[in-house]
Amino acid sequence: MATFAMLESELQPVLKALRAASINIVAIHQHMAGEKPRVLFFALTSGSDAPRNLAKGLRAALDKTGRKKAP
């Protein structure tokens, strides 16, 4: 089980990337009220694919966010 956080504007691209990788999404929720920008969370469970493919799916989802990439 894991949690994946993203901005509300990133929700659909991240959701599509996770689903394409067969990663199971248990819930979409928020922890705060009235924050700007709005932050949403996915509760995830492992998918049914090989670990390498799941890792690639998580990377694809991360790439849909505006996070700062390591140098």
Side-chain angles (χ1 to χ4, degrees):
M1 182 99 174
T3 301
F4 192 106
M6 81 235 67
L7 298 176
E8 184 176 31
S9 61
E10 300 167 339
L11 176 68
Q12 287 303 315
V14 170
L15 181 62
K16 288 177 184 177
L18 292 171
R19 285 184 172 161
S22 299
I23 295 173
N24 301 316
I25 302 158
V26 177
I28 301 171
H29 59 281
Q30 64 187 61
H31 288 261
M32 298 151 284
E35 81 280 12
K36 295 208 187 315
R38 191 166 180 209
V39 178
L40 299 176
F41 299 83
F42 286 138
L44 308 171
T45 60
S46 62
S48 57
D49 210 340
R52 180 176 298 217
N53 292 337
L54 295 174
K56 286 180 182 179
L58 285 173
R59 166 53 60 195
L62 279 171
D63 289 343
K64 301 296 182 187
T65 68
R67 68 168 176 66
K68 299 214 188 273
K69 295 182 172 76

